[in-house]
Amino acid sequence: MRQTDDGRVATDIAHFTLKGPNRETNQDSMLAGRRIGDTLLVAVADGVGGQPGGDVASKSAVGVLGIGTPFVDSRGNPDFQAMFITACNAIARQASLMPENATMATTLSVCVIDGTRARVGHAGDSRIYHLAGGELRRVTRDQTVAQELADAAVITQAMVERDFRSNILNSVLSARGDFELFETTFDVAPGDRVLLATDGVTKVLCEDTIRDLVRDAPSIADLARALESAIRTNGLADDATAVCVGITAA
């Protein structure tokens, strides 16, 4: 991959976040591009609905990815385990100050891009997609009861999206710290696109629609606008957040 003169990977980034209808606060949070040396960090988090303090939990989780974060070494290798444990500890500190939010929790999906490699750490049901060669691939795995049943062949994969248990998470970040960390790595090249989205996006737009929008948008800014417009057209039902990254030549 060609890089910019200062050694950094050339990327375009666009993002949006929408507060769901009849909601007092937006429980989503995001990191829309942070540089650590030559490495790019992006993330989305979705506070767990139905429990108080979801917005605090998601902000606490994303907040640990601050400037000078110790979780990425000089060669761009992230320590996701330490990162996610620290996020849980940050949530626990907030819970100790706000006992009414003791059960607050959040998803967290992080992508670290350095050179031609992207590394992912994930807990929950927010998603990361990778577009390469016109093909869209879901990089993360939804950590839900419905997906677990599909993995065990109790229900089919086609049934997962319609199953009510797709809303029941079996791995989140909370003060308890009992998350299941999903990690993976993939190659990136100029022309590729990476999309991070909370379930307010993915439960409104099917993957075929997401694929077409990610593939066909002329620019990353156009992609963010197209996703936002499609969500509004189809009916915003929840907080919806997306971070769009385009891998470009310098």
Side-chain angles (χ1 to χ4, degrees):
M1 177 187 297
R2 291 177 61 197
Q3 298 182 338
T4 58
D5 291 340
D6 61 3
R8 296 178 176 178
V9 176
T11 54
D12 290 331
I13 301 173
H15 57 86
F16 66 85
T17 187
L18 305 171
K19 182 167 70 71
N22 304 316
R23 292 180 177 271
E24 292 184 3
T25 61
N26 185 341
Q27 296 197 330
D28 287 357
S29 297
M30 64 179 163
L31 182 71
R34 175 158 290 153
R35 294 283 182 182
I36 303 171
D38 297 339
T39 303
L40 176 69
L41 228 69
V42 286
V44 295
D46 179 3
V48 175
Q51 300 183 47
D55 57 331
V56 178
S58 68
K59 286 181 175 64
S60 297
V62 169
V64 307
L65 309 176
I67 296 172
T69 177
F71 308 117
V72 180
D73 67 21
S74 60
R75 292 190 290 182
N77 298 307
D79 185 343
F80 286 121
Q81 187 70 27
M83 183 187 296
F84 280 49
I85 288 173
T86 303
C88 287
N89 291 340
I91 293 169
R93 284 194 298 273
Q94 290 297 317
S96 70
L97 300 173
M98 309 165 70
E100 69 276 15
N101 293 339
T103 60
M104 64 184 175
T106 184
T107 72
L108 180 62
S109 299
V110 183
C111 187
V112 178
I113 301 173
D114 184 83
T116 60
R117 301 292 280 172
R119 298 169 176 85
V120 165
H122 163 82
D125 67 344
S126 296
R127 293 179 182 174
I128 298 178
Y129 292 95
H130 175 217
L131 180 83
E135 297 296 323
L136 185 74
R137 180 173 70 94
R138 190 196 307 180
V139 175
T140 51
R141 175 184 176 276
D142 289 353
Q143 294 176 329
T144 65
V145 172
Q147 185 59 57
E148 188 174 55
L149 292 172
D151 292 344
V154 175
I155 63 175
T156 66
Q157 189 63 46
M159 295 169 62
V160 170
E161 297 291 346
R162 302 189 303 274
D163 194 293
F164 73 94
R165 289 162 293 195
S166 66
N167 293 317
I168 304 174
L169 298 172
N170 53 23
S171 176
V172 291
L173 303 190
S174 70
R176 295 172 56 185
D178 54 352
F179 61 92
E180 176 186 346
L181 177 62
F182 172 90
E183 295 185 71
T184 192
T185 303
F186 58 95
D187 295 330
V188 293
D192 287 8
R193 290 176 172 179
V194 178
L195 171 66
L196 291 76
T198 61
D199 70 348
V201 176
T202 60
K203 281 185 166 57
V204 172
L205 304 179
C206 70
E207 289 200 333
D208 285 348
T209 297
I210 293 173
R211 179 201 62 216
D212 292 345
L213 293 173
V214 175
R215 182 187 60 201
D216 298 340
S219 70
I220 288 300
D222 289 323
L223 171 56
R225 285 191 289 267
L227 286 166
E228 181 176 349
S229 176
I231 292 166
R232 292 186 185 279
T233 298
N234 282 272
L236 178 67
D238 191 3
D239 302 330
T241 299
V243 178
C244 311
V245 181
I247 311 300
T248 67

